[in-house]
Amino acid sequence: MAKKMKPKPDNLLAQNKKAYHDYNILETYEAGVALTGTEIKSVRAGKTTLRDGYARVRNGEAWLENVHITPYAEGNQFNVDPMRNRKLLLHKKEIRKLEVSLTEKGLTIVPLRMYLKHGYAKVLIGVAQGKKNYDKRESLKRKDQERDIQRAMKERY
């Protein structure tokens, strides 16, 4: 179940670029999100922020916390709290795996991407281990080197 999922760019609604900078992603899971009617309209409009979000397992259920979905402009009384906890829709086996991985020291679950798949909002969550500052500098240095190599190869051919 833990496989790399890359949604099509036109279906991508929100992306957490900071997660790749701050964490080493060990495993990824695709999860559905339980949203209300006005929330899904706001998500489809791209009004979602995943930056400070994380997932937690409580009572055998996975919950997405600290993810901001802006209230829908025409939603009036049907709008809900933009920072409310949202249930993640996963299989029991996947929830158990996440629960076991969370017991290890230094691991957390972060949302990486939110996208549409067959009309449903999906979240790509990753089991992540925090990076130290020197790890972040090393990955930035490696990224710059790869960019320079690509630039040199482009000029050469």
Side-chain angles (χ1 to χ4, degrees):
M1 303 295 159
K3 47 188 154 178
K4 295 272 184 182
M5 300 290 299
K6 294 222 175 180
K8 296 175 186 171
D10 56 326
N11 293 340
L12 189 64
L13 301 172
Q15 189 171 5
N16 188 357
K17 293 180 182 178
K18 188 176 178 186
Y20 290 102
H21 182 263
D22 292 342
Y23 301 100
N24 287 324
I25 308 300
L26 306 176
E27 285 184 290
T28 59
Y29 296 90
E30 180 182 42
V33 186
L35 300 172
T36 64
T38 57
E39 280 182 321
I40 188 64
K41 289 182 178 190
S42 189
V43 165
R44 287 175 191 266
K47 307 279 186 184
T48 308
T49 306
L50 299 174
R51 178 165 290 158
D52 297 324
Y54 60 95
R56 185 180 279 176
V57 178
R58 277 184 281 155
N59 301 329
E61 296 178 336
W63 293 88
L64 187 63
E65 299 183 0
N66 210 20
V67 171
H68 187 274
I69 297 178
T70 305
Y72 187 58
E74 288 81 31
N76 58 34
Q77 75 214 32
F78 299 108
N79 282 332
V80 292
D81 179 30
M83 293 296 288
R84 78 177 183 94
N85 299 338
R86 293 160 184 92
K87 189 174 181 179
L88 290 176
L89 308 173
L90 291 162
H91 293 283
K92 288 268 188 207
K93 286 182 182 179
E94 292 175 331
I95 293 173
R96 277 191 230 117
K97 282 183 185 178
L98 288 174
E99 201 167 18
V100 168
S101 65
L102 282 179
T103 58
E104 293 181 31
K105 187 178 179 185
L107 294 184
T108 187
I109 304 170
V110 293
L112 303 173
R113 294 186 176 115
M114 185 176 277
Y115 52 93
L116 291 176
K117 185 174 182 180
H118 304 296
Y120 294 104
K122 303 285 185 176
V123 175
L124 185 69
I125 57 173
V127 177
Q129 184 176 27
K131 285 184 185 179
K132 304 280 188 218
N133 281 336
Y134 56 85
D135 290 335
K136 293 177 190 177
R137 285 192 296 267
E138 183 66 33
S139 61
L140 285 175
K141 189 186 304 182
R142 192 175 319 116
K143 191 175 175 183
D144 287 341
Q145 289 173 348
E146 288 175 10
R147 192 178 308 124
D148 290 341
I149 290 171
Q150 289 298 325
R151 196 175 295 139
M153 293 296 285
K154 188 176 180 180
E155 290 174 3
R156 190 171 192 183
Y157 294 105

